[in-house]
Amino acid sequence: MKKYLLTVYCLSIIWQSYGQSRKENFQMILKDDWKMQSAITDPSAGEKVSQDSFKAKRWYNVSVPTTILAGLIANKVYSFDPFYGQNFKKLNDPRLDHPWWFRRVFELPASQNGKTVILRLHGINYKANVWLNGVLIADSTQIKGPFRIIQIDVTKHINSSNNTLAIEVLRPFNPDGEKGDLAIDYADWIHYPPDYNGGIVNNIEIKTYNKVGVQYPLVTTKFDLPSIHIAHLSVDALVTNYTAKEQDAILEGTIDGKIKFEQKVHLKPNESRNVSFYPADYPQLNITDPKIWWPWQYGKPELNHIKLTIVTGNEVSNTIEEDFGIREITSKMIDTASRMFIVNGEPIMLRGAAWSPDIFQRRSEERQEQEVSLVRDMHMNIIRSEGKLEDDHFYDLCDKYGMLVMTGYMCCGTWQHPENWDADKRKVAMASDSSIMYWFRNKACMMTWLNGSDMPPTDTSVERGYLNIEKTLKYPNPILSTANEGKSKVSGYSGVKMAGPYEWVPPIYWETDTTHRYGGMYSFATEISPGPSIPPYESLIKFIPKNSLWYTSADWQYHCGTHDFGTTNVFNTALNSRYGQASTIKNYLAKAQAQNYEAHRAMMEAYGLNKYHTATGVVQWMLSNPWPGLIWHTYDYYLYPAGTYFGMKKSMEPLHVMYSYRDNEVDVTNSLLQNFTGLTVQADVYNLDGTLKYNHSVPVTVSKDSIAKCFKIPAIDGLSDTYLLRLQLSDKGGSVRSINWYWLAKTMDKLNWEKSTWYITPQSGYADYSALQTMPKTPVNMNFSTIVNKDSTIHQVVLTNTGKAVAFFVHLRALKGKDGDDILPVIFSDNYISLAPGERRIIKITYATKDAKGVPPYFITSAWNLDVAQSKGGDHTAFENGLPVN
């Protein structure tokens, strides 16, 4: 069968990416109309299963991609929600340890007769026997590895009518072990799905070629930095002769339908060769005033378009076209611990979070767009993924929205231990690297690739093998050996770190790690977090039974992480010590949102404050949970944005006023490539009874992508034990650009640095915010207006504090009717805000009109010290106590 397998290694792997930005002459993505069944339930042989006459009785209907469990859930095999309580344990089934069949019948159009027919497999987890029309065309020694993209020439086996493809998938075993399979691994994120994501996790496609084909366009940009006036473009592509005869061909290219170039190519029988166009030889590839792709907030993510056509014998043999970005990404070391990334000649402070796909590897284009929109709304500019590669639609979204991507291999399991690999695993790893480089190399969003995760490859020959492939395939972006601070014996220092923490730490932590040993604001922290992010009550009741809604329950702890992260105990102790003992679950949750807000805001603010002074990036671990969880996310599984989300969003405002916990200083951070003059910074300090104890304002100028240190808050007489700081930044036109509230205490958080571990620095003392529970009540008035567009609805909600005390931690919700659920996903311009006495704020709410389900929205406002009885609103509004005690 090996003669049908065109490739399992390096340069000869051929694949065509999918997505809305890509087009070819012919592509048949085999997405729907699959049948799935256990080889135990139906023990029929592959020779029979892959015949058109086979009757797949009582098989499950599925769409691909799908894992085994995803397919069973889609067919409602289980009478329970696997995410509710500890139901996940019930998914164990001995059939999951045995092969499963995936079967699809398809017919090629008559127009494709006489052409070479290629079956492309992308994402078999973990290995498979592949049958077509009764013939075993490749076995499990050849089809192995979820990241490999394999092409099989099936021309001799194609029928003129129905064709039956049958893939017998064997799930991976022990990917989390040192000597398991090179498959998808989750480490301590979550409980493992019992099928270990066995199945088909990316596209299956049929392609046809007329003698010669062209694939993998690559457009590489070089500027005459610091000028970006002229872009010098190099174009590469892989051309393949699919015949047993020599072929003469012409490769023609166009960029944006205007810039044209071509080259003659002579190919030996079955030869694959890279063809290059260099700007020195093709002057038209030196483009003046090009459309440039910029990351989010740095400029517009402009995309260009390339079309490549291969012509043989005056006939078009194959055409491929896709979008690309004119951009140049490089990096340099500030010191041995800190790597700075540079985009189009501009240094960039990278702040983002780590992506995780659904635990069952289910794909939804709509949800992907919703989540990337949430990432942009938080003002993040980078997404990191660790060995959980997505599909082309996801990367197309990142291209479109200017979201940089950092990705690479997995930690902790078999991928991290190449010293234990045999020749077969090494072959899988190298073929995987080749596939990924071809796949990713022309994507504008791709910032860097990591050849290792928690450490450099432990076998230096493996890293050298990777680097050789990446160089040969002209991967155009920086490559790192690891996500941690280790020094590779092959490539040296990474310039990034992953020194923790992953557990709760107070806001002061980030600015006071002066030893540069842990998670403080230096280097590029590729994964870091103050731990738990507790969802709101409305989300919790969807996955934790009401009689288990307390942080000591087994159901609660089951939805934490695993290993060292199986509880929220550290977070709970801090919450009860800092905000006062939680009396009820809703009381606990209100305090949890405040603690999540302040901790995550402080992390991102600290790195922004120290940017380029050794701090070059920070990635929150994580962005999202692969299932409903209680730790490591910015928004929950149901896309509910709570305290963590809005703390993050506040901290990364493009033009932002902030407070330094370490220096008691007010600063302005500017993340835009624009100078600002005539700004005004104002600071107001309030006691809890609403008394204004301090007021100060100064004019400020801040240069592009820099920091302006403004003034220090002095010692103030007569402060209450807990007090409130309001900061406001206004531009020269009087428009407010940033409002930021802090709650501070005379009793400070203290850290026990000597007892730090890789994931936590414990506290030896706690700030005292308990007085926030006893603030005087104050009324808030609310009214709103609405604009309904074709697809979206926008509300302007006006909130006014009409009392004499500060309205603390005001939370606004938008519901599907009075008794309905929250409208999700939803974009709030701000939330969990505070209002000074007499202050008026306008909150903009945006959501897809369809997500309101045709029901008039209903708005609920709460605050910790809200005077519900005296608050006023109109129709479709209500008020609630934001800190319930019973």
Side-chain angles (χ1 to χ4, degrees):
M1 300 305 157
K2 290 185 178 179
K3 66 180 180 180
Y4 300 120
L5 189 67
L6 291 185
T7 164
V8 291
Y9 184 74
C10 198
L11 289 175
S12 57
I13 288 183
I14 299 176
W15 175 79
Q16 169 56 40
S17 56
Y18 321 105
Q20 295 176 347
S21 68
R22 286 163 205 85
K23 296 179 182 178
E24 281 200 70
N25 305 66
F26 179 83
Q27 57 178 356
M28 178 183 286
I29 298 175
L30 303 181
K31 177 177 174 58
D32 299 320
D33 302 319
W34 287 79
K35 301 284 188 178
M36 181 188 83
Q37 187 53 274
S38 165
I40 293 178
T41 302
D42 190 333
S44 301
E47 183 178 0
K48 293 183 178 180
V49 174
S50 60
Q51 296 281 5
D52 185 41
S53 59
F54 179 78
K55 304 300 181 183
K57 295 181 179 179
R58 294 185 295 277
W59 282 41
Y60 303 109
N61 296 315
V62 297
S63 295
V64 165
T66 184
T67 63
I68 299 164
L69 275 172
L72 294 174
I73 292 169
N75 281 273
K76 304 186 185 305
V77 170
Y78 304 105
S79 60
F80 55 84
D81 177 357
F83 291 161
Y84 191 72
Q86 300 182 53
N87 283 347
F88 198 76
K89 296 177 180 179
K90 299 178 184 178
L91 295 175
N92 285 317
D93 183 332
R95 294 183 304 165
L96 299 175
D97 293 337
H98 298 275
W100 281 71
W101 284 106
F102 294 81
R103 183 179 186 272
R104 173 66 148 81
V105 178
F106 65 93
E107 184 176 1
L108 284 182
S111 60
Q112 303 308 304
N113 290 343
K115 296 182 180 181
T116 299
V117 182
I118 301 296
L119 169 66
R120 284 197 173 97
L121 308 171
H122 184 188
I124 302 295
N125 194 35
Y126 171 64
K127 56 186 177 180
N129 297 305
V130 182
W131 296 74
L132 180 65
N133 297 330
V135 178
L136 178 64
I137 59 174
D139 65 25
S140 60
T141 65
Q142 300 162 304
I143 309 300
K144 185 182 296 185
F147 306 138
R148 294 177 65 186
I149 304 158
I150 299 172
Q151 172 176 282
I152 308 172
D153 187 336
V154 296
T155 308
K156 294 180 180 180
H157 304 291
I158 287 292
N159 295 330
S160 58
S161 55
N162 284 347
N163 295 275
T164 303
L165 174 65
I167 303 176
E168 184 187 23
V169 174
L170 292 77
R171 58 147 279 195
F173 285 88
N174 303 318
D176 53 335
E178 294 186 11
K179 298 181 179 181
D181 289 330
L182 288 173
I184 299 171
D185 177 27
Y186 284 101
D188 48 19
W189 303 8
I190 51 171
H191 307 282
Y192 280 85
D195 66 348
Y196 276 74
N197 284 158
I200 302 172
V201 296
N202 217 319
N203 288 327
I204 306 295
E205 185 184 13
I206 299 293
K207 293 293 303 164
T208 64
Y209 296 96
N210 182 18
K211 297 181 182 179
V212 178
V214 57
Q215 299 167 95
Y216 308 121
L218 169 64
V219 183
T220 306
T221 303
K222 291 293 181 183
F223 292 112
D224 301 317
L225 298 174
S227 172
I228 55 174
H229 177 59
I230 299 176
H232 308 287
L233 304 184
S234 297
V235 178
D236 288 88
L238 185 70
V239 296
T240 301
N241 179 3
Y242 290 102
T243 75
K245 298 180 180 180
E246 294 187 357
Q247 297 288 342
D248 288 308
I250 298 175
L251 181 59
E252 301 173 346
T254 62
I255 292 176
D256 294 336
K258 301 175 182 178
I259 301 167
K260 298 182 179 181
F261 46 93
E262 65 177 46
Q263 186 176 147
K264 293 181 179 180
V265 183
H266 179 78
L267 297 169
K268 296 177 182 179
N270 299 311
E271 180 186 6
S272 290
R273 184 198 306 170
N274 186 72
V275 177
S276 301
F277 299 85
Y278 296 112
D281 302 318
Y282 297 85
Q284 63 268 43
L285 294 178
N286 299 286
I287 301 175
T288 302
D289 296 326
K291 293 191 303 181
I292 296 176
W293 189 91
W294 287 98
W296 173 228
Q297 295 182 346
Y298 268 44
K300 294 181 179 180
E302 301 268 19
L303 289 170
N304 296 265
H305 197 76
I306 185 169
K307 180 178 180 180
L308 295 175
T309 300
I310 193 82
V311 178
T312 55
N314 296 320
E315 292 184 358
V316 172
S317 179
N318 176 224
T319 297
I320 183 171
E321 52 187 298
E322 64 180 48
D323 292 337
F324 71 95
I326 293 179
R327 94 291 188 272
E328 182 179 0
I329 299 178
T330 59
S331 70
K332 68 177 184 180
M333 300 290 284
I334 295 177
D335 55 30
T336 58
S338 306
R339 181 180 298 273
M340 175 191 291
F341 285 85
I342 302 162
V343 181
N344 303 330
E346 298 286 351
I348 184 169
M349 179 63 192
L350 296 156
R351 290 186 290 181
W355 179 273
S356 175
D358 175 82
I359 191 172
F360 301 121
Q361 299 291 310
R362 294 172 291 192
R363 301 283 192 268
S364 164
E365 291 188 358
E366 180 184 38
R367 184 177 174 103
Q368 285 175 341
E369 182 135 22
Q370 290 168 341
E371 294 198 54
V372 173
S373 295
L374 293 175
V375 174
R376 272 177 52 118
D377 182 59
M378 284 185 282
H379 310 297
M380 293 179 174
N381 56 22
I382 186 171
I383 295 172
R384 183 192 166 200
S385 61
E386 182 187 62
K388 314 294 185 298
L389 306 183
E390 271 291 349
D391 60 12
D392 273 297
H393 182 261
F394 171 78
Y395 300 113
D396 286 346
L397 288 173
C398 292
D399 284 352
K400 174 183 175 182
Y401 290 122
M403 196 60 55
L404 291 164
V405 174
M406 166 186 263
T407 190
Y409 290 124
M410 273 173 288
C411 85
C412 310
T414 309
W415 282 100
Q416 192 167 282
H417 292 279
E419 75 277 8
N420 296 328
W421 295 351
D422 57 17
D424 182 61
K425 284 191 174 67
R426 184 180 292 258
K427 184 178 179 180
V428 170
M430 296 301 154
S432 300
D433 195 59
S434 176
S435 299
I436 292 166
M437 292 304 108
Y438 270 130
W439 182 21
F440 284 167
R441 67 181 190 172
N442 203 41
K443 298 186 183 301
C445 62
M446 284 295 163
M447 186 192 78
T448 187
W449 172 259
L450 284 71
N451 280 324
S453 181
D454 289 20
M455 62 181 72
T458 51
D459 183 330
T460 56
S461 69
V462 168
E463 185 179 357
R464 289 191 180 96
Y466 288 157
L467 290 171
N468 180 62
I469 291 170
E470 291 148 8
K471 180 179 179 181
T472 301
L473 300 190
K474 300 185 177 182
Y475 186 74
N477 308 312
I479 294 171
L480 305 184
S481 63
T482 175
N484 82 355
E485 57 277 15
K487 182 181 181 181
S488 164
K489 295 179 181 179
V490 176
S491 53
Y493 287 106
S494 65
V496 299
K497 68 169 185 176
M498 45 175 295
Y502 298 88
E503 183 58 276
W504 158 261
V505 288
I508 192 65
Y509 172 92
W510 312 101
E511 293 188 67
T512 52
D513 172 20
T514 56
T515 62
H516 282 198
R517 293 173 56 194
Y518 306 112
M521 53 184 195
Y522 71 97
S523 188
F524 186 152
T526 59
E527 50 181 77
I528 198 169
S529 176
S533 284
I534 311 298
Y537 182 82
E538 293 72 30
S539 290
L540 283 178
I541 58 176
K542 294 178 181 178
F543 65 95
I544 296 181
K546 287 188 177 181
N547 61 3
S548 295
L549 277 176
W550 194 246
Y551 52 73
T552 58
S553 77
D555 290 328
W556 180 282
Q557 294 179 358
Y558 189 71
H559 283 267
C560 296
T562 61
H563 304 302
D564 293 305
F565 307 103
T567 73
T568 57
N569 289 348
V570 176
F571 180 89
N572 303 335
T573 299
L575 182 144
N576 289 321
S577 299
R578 300 169 86 243
Y579 289 95
Q581 186 69 37
S583 55
T584 66
I585 184 60
K586 290 189 176 182
N587 180 269
Y588 169 88
L589 294 174
K591 294 172 180 176
Q593 301 316 317
Q595 185 156 281
N596 283 334
Y597 187 109
E598 56 165 339
H600 289 84
R601 174 181 62 178
M603 176 179 70
M604 290 298 184
E605 283 185 332
Y607 273 83
L609 184 62
N610 204 42
K611 63 180 173 182
Y612 313 136
H613 298 284
T614 72
T616 56
V618 54
V619 173
Q620 149 73 14
W621 190 261
M622 304 178 65
L623 173 72
S624 55
N625 286 155
W627 80 321
L630 299 166
I631 66 171
W632 296 340
H633 63 253
T634 59
Y635 50 84
D636 67 31
Y637 186 80
Y638 307 102
L639 307 185
Y640 201 121
T644 295
Y645 182 96
F646 289 103
M648 287 280 193
K649 178 173 179 172
K650 179 63 65 177
S651 67
M652 291 180 282
E653 292 174 316
L655 193 59
H656 178 64
V657 62
M658 61 164 288
Y659 170 76
S660 167
Y661 285 88
R662 179 185 65 185
D663 296 331
N664 207 33
E665 184 177 74
V666 177
D667 305 299
V668 172
T669 60
N670 177 16
S671 299
L672 301 172
L673 298 182
Q674 177 184 352
N675 299 324
F676 288 90
T677 61
L679 300 174
T680 300
V681 170
Q682 179 174 322
D684 300 304
V685 176
Y686 293 89
N687 272 351
L688 294 189
D689 63 3
T691 305
L692 180 63
K693 301 298 295 183
Y694 172 80
N695 172 265
H696 185 59
S697 64
V698 297
V700 174
T701 294
V702 60
S703 300
K704 71 173 189 177
D705 196 22
S706 64
I707 299 99
K709 293 183 176 294
C710 302
F711 56 89
K712 292 189 176 184
I713 304 294
I716 303 169
D717 293 333
L719 284 179
S720 50
D721 289 340
T722 302
Y723 55 97
L724 302 167
L725 169 64
R726 182 186 187 276
L727 301 178
Q728 178 174 298
L729 177 66
S730 303
D731 62 25
K732 57 185 177 183
S735 298
V736 176
R737 301 297 295 263
S738 174
I739 296 175
N740 202 358
W741 283 83
Y742 296 80
W743 43 105
L744 304 169
K746 292 180 179 179
T747 303
M748 303 287 290
D749 288 302
K750 296 179 181 179
L751 291 154
N752 191 343
W753 293 102
E754 291 73 20
K755 292 189 176 181
S756 295
T757 69
W758 64 273
Y759 66 94
I760 185 175
T761 295
Q763 288 185 247
S764 56
Y766 296 92
D768 184 4
Y769 298 140
S770 58
L772 290 169
Q773 301 177 102
T774 61
M775 292 178 67
K777 300 293 184 182
T778 187
V780 173
N781 291 350
M782 170 173 51
N783 59 74
F784 69 93
S785 60
T786 301
I787 299 174
V788 179
N789 298 316
K790 180 180 179 181
D791 298 319
S792 64
T793 297
I794 301 171
H795 304 288
Q796 298 266 20
V797 179
V798 181
L799 300 173
T800 306
N801 179 4
T802 59
K804 296 181 179 180
V806 172
F808 179 71
F809 226 51
V810 180
H811 181 214
L812 182 61
R813 296 171 61 199
L815 278 59
K816 290 174 276 190
K818 183 176 181 180
D819 299 316
D821 292 335
D822 291 77
I823 299 172
L824 296 173
V826 61
I827 300 293
F828 291 91
S829 60
D830 205 350
N831 216 330
Y832 293 100
I833 65 174
S834 292
L835 297 170
E839 183 175 1
R840 176 179 178 269
R841 291 282 302 277
I842 299 175
I843 306 299
K844 182 179 177 182
I845 305 173
T846 307
Y847 55 83
T849 302
K850 67 179 181 60
D851 291 332
K853 305 300 182 184
V855 179
Y858 193 83
F859 300 100
I860 297 179
T861 297
S862 64
W864 278 33
N865 59 327
L866 184 67
D867 187 335
V868 174
Q870 297 301 315
S871 296
K872 297 178 182 179
D875 294 338
H876 303 286
T877 64
F879 299 90
E880 286 184 349
N881 180 6
L883 189 68
V885 294
N886 53 42

